[in-house]
Amino acid sequence: DFFGGLSTIVLIGIYSVLYQKVGFLIGTSLYLFIQILILSQKEKRNFPIFVAISILFPIFVYYVFTRLINMPLPKGLFGF
């Protein structure tokens, strides 16, 4: 729907501006959680699964980039 598309564009813009400041892990976790909420149907929302995905996926990606590929990602405010 129109709201979902517009919200996604705005959210990506906010994410890209704050990405360097808040860091990869925090920024991506917040982005994913909000994006999942925007795109999911209200009656099918499962907050524990959304939180788990929003936390575990960025940790996995961070590990792959920083440990396996040896490519640093922005650490942000808290140094992680």
Side-chain angles (χ1 to χ4, degrees), residues 1-50:
D1 67 340
F2 180 75
F3 173 76
L6 183 61
S7 299
T8 296
I9 292 169
V10 170
L11 189 59
I12 290 171
I14 293 169
Y15 174 71
S16 65
V17 169
L18 296 178
Y19 176 74
Q20 293 289 332
K21 295 175 185 167
V22 298
F24 176 79
L25 286 175
I26 294 172
T28 304
S29 294
L30 289 172
Y31 167 78
L32 279 177
F33 183 75
I34 296 168
Q35 187 65 61
I36 292 170
L37 284 179
I38 290 170
L39 297 178
S40 64
Q41 297 175 356
K42 289 183 182 180
E43 61 275 356
K44 294 186 179 183
R45 289 185 176 162
N46 188 335
F47 287 98
I49 298 230
F50 294 175

